[in-house]
Amino acid sequence: ELKYANGHNVAVRAYADSTKRRVHKLETTWVPTYDVPATEAPSGEGSAFATAELSMDALATADLESLRAGLSPLADGYASWLDECETEIGTLPDSLQEAARGAVFRARHGADRIHAGIVSLTDPAAPNHDHALRAFRFANQAMALQRRHTEIGKLREEGSIAYADAEAVIVAQGAKVASWRPFQLAFVLLNVPALSDPSHPERVADPSAVVDLLFFPTGGGKTEAYLGLTAFTFAIRRLQGTLGRGEQARSGAAGVAVLMRYTLRLLTAQQFQRASALVCAAEVIRQSDEDLWGTEPFRIGLWVGSAVSPNW
């Protein structure tokens, strides 16, 4: 994209002629705008993930065979798509081929991690299988509760409607309102092995440690992926109990499990509502089985300073 002017302590808006390499007007602006295309990951009929099980309700109760059949298309479909990408590398300009090969290589590592997550959940012989499977079921159950009650809240905000009526509308939508997008579920799966094993190479403090980042515009579904991992983390810490000995002992029922930081004030408040819904869902599940999840409540805290909203 051409750059027609530089602003000094101010932005510049250019009105370009789409048919020519020139502009017909330049003006300064304090608040520049730019339309960023939405990111929509493939899903549903016609995609490589069409046969994947995305219902949170189904994943929360599926037996091992059903879970394997429902999750495998995520890894297999991604690997097949990467095969197609690899065959296209030769058609790219020479200057782009090295970068393309590197991108496919890194993506294959991601596909392998997704597959490893599926193995952790579906193979009884896999390390930490029991805890990983229970935590995964907990995460799906909590996320389903969070999704439905978030949607109920939206309905009640949009109009004067009783809770029971809003709940009936959401329940009538069935699994649709509590389903993953393929990339969200894949993001949870590729982190399952490391979150299940405190000594996993991906989380040890050395050059092999991994930080996963979801990066695309607002509205793509990043928050749900992060909340899914949050729910899994809540559960796996409770199941693992106390790790280490003596001064190094750490209780899974104590301390801070997840830190979330947002740089925009209104976004902080909005995201706190969604995280609170998840914590409430996790607490409902805990109270239903204290023998398994412990007597210590799940909690959430918010620190925003004095300027996030008017204090009068």
Side-chain angles (χ1 to χ4, degrees), residues 4-307:
Y4 299 99
N6 286 322
H8 294 277
N9 296 320
V10 73
V12 178
R13 178 183 289 125
Y15 293 85
D17 185 330
S18 60
T19 63
K20 301 173 184 176
R21 293 169 60 85
R22 67 186 185 192
V23 295
H24 57 270
K25 182 168 73 169
L26 294 170
E27 64 181 29
T28 57
T29 176
W30 293 111
V31 185
T33 61
Y34 185 81
D35 290 331
V36 180
T39 299
E40 294 184 8
S43 62
E45 293 184 13
S47 75
F49 316 114
T51 59
E53 180 57 76
L54 303 176
S55 165
M56 295 171 182
D57 298 323
L59 292 170
T61 58
D63 58 34
L64 294 188
E65 192 56 43
S66 299
L67 201 58
R68 187 180 298 109
L71 296 178
S72 293
L74 292 171
D76 297 342
Y78 190 34
S80 297
W81 177 71
L82 290 174
D83 290 339
E84 295 175 12
C85 291
E86 194 162 34
T87 62
E88 296 174 5
I89 292 177
T91 66
L92 298 174
D94 292 344
S95 60
L96 299 178
Q97 291 188 18
E98 182 178 353
R101 280 191 290 270
V104 171
F105 175 82
R106 290 189 295 274
R108 287 198 185 281
H109 178 58
D112 290 341
R113 292 176 64 204
I114 295 171
H115 177 72
I118 296 171
V119 170
S120 293
L121 297 174
T122 60
D123 184 356
N128 308 295
H129 161 76
D130 222 25
H131 286 167
L133 179 60
R134 284 190 172 184
F136 184 74
R137 287 172 171 165
F138 175 98
N140 278 278
Q141 186 181 355
M143 285 298 293
L145 280 171
Q146 180 267 143
R147 287 299 310 138
R148 288 192 168 94
H149 283 81
T150 296
E151 292 303 312
I152 289 171
K154 286 181 182 178
L155 280 182
R156 300 196 70 198
E157 287 176 6
E158 292 168 0
S160 179
I161 180 173
Y163 177 87
D165 295 333
E167 183 182 35
V169 171
I170 298 304
V171 170
Q173 296 181 23
K176 177 184 176 182
V177 77
S179 291
W180 298 100
R181 299 183 193 183
F183 87 88
Q184 294 169 338
L185 185 52
F187 187 71
V188 172
L189 290 171
L190 65 80
N191 283 289
V192 161
L195 285 176
S196 304
D197 180 7
S199 62
H200 195 282
E202 290 176 7
R203 63 189 279 186
V204 175
D206 65 25
S208 65
V210 174
V211 174
D212 287 304
L213 174 69
L214 285 176
F215 182 80
F216 45 78
T218 299
K222 299 183 295 295
T223 298
E224 295 300 293
Y226 294 141
L227 291 180
L229 278 184
T230 297
F232 185 90
T233 301
F234 286 170
I236 200 72
R237 293 177 83 242
R238 293 295 176 96
L239 293 169
Q240 289 172 340
T242 299
L243 299 175
R245 296 180 178 178
E247 293 182 355
Q248 298 300 315
R250 297 292 182 269
S251 169
V256 177
V258 177
L259 286 171
M260 302 172 74
R261 181 177 185 269
Y262 296 94
T263 54
L264 299 175
R265 293 175 181 177
L266 292 179
L267 184 62
T268 298
Q270 190 259 0
Q271 293 291 318
F272 180 71
Q273 291 178 336
R274 297 173 71 176
S276 295
L278 175 65
V279 172
C280 288
E283 180 61 8
V284 167
I285 298 171
R286 184 198 66 79
Q287 290 183 15
S288 70
D289 191 351
E290 291 191 349
D291 290 338
L292 180 60
W293 303 114
T295 58
E296 187 72 22
F298 289 110
R299 297 184 175 93
I300 186 168
L302 175 67
W303 186 88
V304 291
S306 61

